[in-house]
Amino acid sequence: MSNKTKKSSDSAQNKEDEVVQINKWDGTAVKHALDDSVKSALMNHNNMKELFGIIDGRLFICALAVGIALVALGYDYEYTFPASKPVLIVCVCCYFFLMGVLTVYTTYVEKGIFVLSEQKDTSGSVKRWKASSDMKKYDDKYELTVQLKDSRGIREATVTKSVANFIDTNGVVLDDLVASEVNRIVNSLNADRKDK
C-alpha cells in the first residue's frame, strides 16, 4: 500500500471516529447536534436521498430580498437621494414584506423540519421521509417527529425523551443510541404502527 493511499484511508478513518462534543448546557447547540445525528442516522438507510425543497424555498425568498436591496442600492448610486426617494420607498416596503413572508415560511412551512428524504425500494415505490424536532428553551426534553408518506398514506411517530438519553456527561453525542431510536421509529412506521 502506498503512503498516499494509507494517508487517505487514515483520514477517512479519522472522520468516522470523529466525536461530536458540545456544551451540554447550551440548549440550541444540543438540539442542533441531535438533529444532525438523527439526520445522519436516517440517511444511512438503503436508497435514501436527501431532498432540499424546503431549504430552496427559504433561499429563494432570501435571494429576492437581497435582489431588492441591490436594486435600491444601484438606483440610489445612479440617482442620488432626492431623485431616488420613490424607488427607495418601494424597495424598502418590498424588503420588509419579504422578511414577513420569510418569518411566516419558517414558522408555518418549515416548522422545525431539518431533513426531507426520499427512499426508493426494489419494487419501485417511493417513500418520503420528513423529520422535525422541538426543544423548549430551558427544558431537557427533545421531541422528535418522523413522518412517512407512501402509497398507504401518511403515518407519523413522535418521541419525547430527555437529552440525557443521547448525550453523555462530557457533552458527547452518542450516535449509536440516536441511530437505535431512529431505526426503531423507522421500523415502526414501515410496519404501519403509530408511536405516541
Side-chain angles (χ1 to χ4, degrees), residues 147-159:
Q147 185 184 81
L148 168 63
K149 182 179 180 183
D150 61 5
S151 58
R152 294 184 284 176
I154 298 175
R155 296 178 302 286
E156 189 174 280
T158 301
V159 175

Side-chain angles (χ1 to χ4, degrees), residues 1-20:
M1 181 187 287
S2 69
N3 283 342
K4 191 173 188 179
T5 308
K6 186 176 180 182
K7 285 180 183 177
S8 65
S9 67
D10 287 343
S11 67
Q13 182 68 24
N14 288 341
K15 286 182 181 178
E16 289 177 11
D17 293 339
E18 189 176 305
V19 175
V20 177

Side-chain angles (χ1 to χ4, degrees), residues 33-44:
L34 288 175
D35 288 350
D36 289 343
S37 185
V38 169
K39 178 180 177 179
S40 56
L42 187 63
M43 296 308 293
N44 281 337

Side-chain angles (χ1 to χ4, degrees), residues 9-59:
S9 67
D10 287 343
S11 67
Q13 182 68 24
N14 288 341
K15 286 182 181 178
E16 289 177 11
D17 293 339
E18 189 176 305
V19 175
V20 177
Q21 186 170 8
I22 54 169
N23 177 2
K24 64 183 179 181
W25 302 111
D26 182 359
T28 304
V30 167
K31 181 185 179 303
H32 290 308
L34 288 175
D35 288 350
D36 289 343
S37 185
V38 169
K39 178 180 177 179
S40 56
L42 187 63
M43 296 308 293
N44 281 337
H45 286 84
N46 290 335
N47 300 323
M48 197 71 79
K49 178 184 172 190
E50 188 171 1
L51 304 174
F52 299 99
I54 287 183
I55 295 171
D56 290 345
R58 183 179 359 143
L59 289 175

Side-chain angles (χ1 to χ4, degrees), residues 76-89:
D76 189 53
Y77 181 77
E78 190 67 32
Y79 306 100
T80 54
F81 174 66
S84 65
K85 186 176 179 181
V87 173
L88 290 178
I89 289 172

Side-chain angles (χ1 to χ4, degrees), residues 52-73:
F52 299 99
I54 287 183
I55 295 171
D56 290 345
R58 183 179 359 143
L59 289 175
F60 178 72
I61 295 168
C62 292
L64 280 177
V66 169
I68 287 172
L70 289 175
V71 166
L73 178 69

